[in-house]
Amino acid sequence: MRSQLIGAAAVGPHGCVAVLCAGLALAWRATLRRGHVWADPAALTWSDFDGDRPRVLRQRLLAGWAARFATVAYFFVVAGVLIGFPPDVVGPLALSVAVAALALVMARRRPLLGEAALPFVPAVLGVFPNTPLWIFTAAAAAAALLLAWSPPLFPTRETLVHHFRERLVRRTSAAFLDVWALLPAGRPVRWRRGLDGRFIVTRFVVTGTLARRHALGLPVFLALAVTATHTTFPGVPSVWLLGLGSYLGLLPFAAPIAQLHRVAGLRRWLDASELRLRLVMASALVVLAACWTAAVALLGVPVPLGSLVAVVVAAYSVVRTVTRGPLEFSSMGLVLYEGVLIPTGLLRQLTRGPDLLIIGLLLCGLLP
């Protein structure tokens, strides 16, 4: 396993720190989403007379926070076992404690202006090996101490019910394997004549992409994560890193065409052929993927010819994924194998898109 992940390249102890910083950034960002703030309307109506709501919200926050940062600690230990721990373990441990404490105190209070950009800082620290960690560690610890005395968040009933509704939609979508409902919804775009004029398909794709501008954080995190993975495990081919990273990063921006195929009325409203719609969407995704690949290349990840082709394959795989028809549970085609019923029909529907990605990456790995 070590030879497959690392190979003959020499990996310094910075690789373990890079894994830690990327994990801290992801855990911090996930905690700031405040997923613990939700409540069943029935519970609010019948069981909220004893003032127990703050304790329940606090328990949810602590449970989610502890699970995320415990996962980060686990991967840090695994990376240390594989490539070796840094000579000075006190610095990374102090950084972990400071970031975890700051994430906890920020999640328990009202959102701050621009707080979504703060988790990018430890991710950037992990990319550049010569960056002193103690400066950000001291700043994070001081901010955690200052915010610890701030008043906690007391969400209103409307906020609790709204978050519960969103959570219920996500759970139901995941239960029925409806990936389109899990994609981010669009936000208003200040473009008065955005859908008025010629080239309506191009206008629709551009407007829908701009409406998902709030999802730009995911590609940025993926670029930093790909860089940290390449630094830690240089034996992994960049074709797979760039292909999988671009596929995951482009999925939110394919939501416009996914929405058309999810709602039949919207698809009939856009009078355009299926081929034209897919080509325009794929072209827009290729442009976004090219910008993302250029950023990854600037961070030090090699981009050979095979990786460039893999990024294009990832863009077309995203379009293939979100343009599949609704899942048909009546045509699962169950097959008995070794005493296990395998729904081959359902698997065929679910692998539409990822199948092109995997086959394309295998072929791209043969290119120079």
Side-chain angles (χ1 to χ4, degrees):
M1 180 179 180
R2 177 184 175 88
S3 60
Q4 295 176 352
L5 295 177
I6 299 176
V11 181
H14 173 68
C16 188
V17 179
V19 172
L20 176 65
C21 292
L24 290 176
L26 292 175
W28 188 2
R29 183 176 175 84
T31 306
L32 288 183
R33 293 182 180 275
R34 295 174 177 84
H36 63 284
V37 181
W38 59 269
D40 189 338
L44 289 174
T45 302
W46 303 107
S47 304
D48 199 30
F49 298 101
D50 54 356
D52 200 35
R53 186 195 305 175
R55 183 185 63 83
V56 174
L57 297 180
R58 185 168 56 251
Q59 288 180 351
R60 291 179 187 166
L61 172 60
L62 290 175
W65 169 81
R68 296 185 185 100
F69 284 94
T71 304
V72 174
Y74 171 77
F75 280 101
F76 174 69
V77 173
V78 171
V81 172
L82 288 175
I83 63 177
F85 291 96
D88 183 16
V89 188
V90 178
L93 291 180
L95 177 66
S96 303
V97 173
V99 171
L102 181 58
L104 180 61
V105 298
M106 290 180 65
R108 62 177 292 271
R109 68 176 311 281
R110 294 185 178 276
L112 295 173
L113 181 63
E115 68 175 14
L118 292 178
F120 289 102
V121 179
V124 174
L125 293 178
V127 173
F128 301 100
N130 297 325
T131 305
L133 299 179
W134 63 268
I135 297 179
F136 182 74
T137 301
L145 290 176
L146 291 176
L147 294 177
W149 305 102
S150 59
L153 172 64
F154 292 104
T156 61
R157 177 188 176 91
E158 290 75 14
T159 302
L160 294 171
V161 174
H162 174 71
H163 287 193
F164 175 79
R165 188 183 303 114
E166 291 184 346
R167 180 175 181 269
L168 190 62
V169 169
R170 290 194 300 268
R171 291 187 60 181
T172 306
S173 302
F176 286 93
L177 306 176
D178 186 4
V179 65
W180 300 307
L182 300 177
L183 296 178
R187 294 181 180 179
V189 178
R190 294 185 178 180
W191 189 5
R192 294 182 58 184
R193 304 187 63 180
L195 298 178
D196 184 14
R198 301 175 58 188
F199 308 107
I200 184 62
V201 177
T202 304
R203 289 172 176 268
F204 171 77
V205 170
V206 173
T207 305
T209 304
L210 293 177
R212 273 80 182 178
R213 59 192 179 276
H214 56 282
L216 284 174
L218 177 61
V220 174
F221 265 113
L222 287 173
L224 297 173
V226 166
T227 305
T229 304
H230 172 72
T231 303
T232 309
F233 306 113
V236 179
S238 59
V239 170
W240 290 92
L241 294 178
L242 294 177
L244 294 176
S246 58
Y247 178 83
L248 296 176
L250 293 175
L251 270 177
F253 301 100
I257 189 175
Q259 188 176 11
L260 287 180
H261 286 75
R262 189 168 182 263
V263 182
L266 294 178
R267 182 64 188 91
R268 290 190 294 267
W269 167 79
L270 190 62
D271 187 15
S273 63
E274 188 70 19
L275 178 61
R276 181 186 175 189
L277 182 62
R278 295 189 182 188
L279 288 178
V280 173
M281 187 74 249
S283 302
L285 293 180
V286 167
V287 174
L288 295 177
C291 298
W292 182 82
T293 305
V296 172
L298 292 177
L299 293 176
V301 179
V303 185
L305 176 61
S307 299
L308 293 177
V309 179
V311 171
V312 178
V313 171
Y316 282 91
S317 300
V318 170
V319 176
R320 178 176 169 83
T321 299
V322 299
T323 55
R324 71 184 183 197
L327 293 179
E328 298 179 4
F329 293 94
S330 60
S331 61
M332 291 189 297
L334 296 176
V335 175
L336 182 62
Y337 178 77
E338 297 293 338
V340 179
L341 289 175
I342 301 177
T344 55
L346 183 60
L347 292 178
R348 179 184 56 82
Q349 299 177 60
L350 292 176
T351 55
R352 176 182 169 87
D355 55 352
L356 176 61
L357 178 65
I358 299 300
I359 296 175
L361 294 182
L362 289 175
L363 296 177
C364 290
L366 304 178
L367 297 177

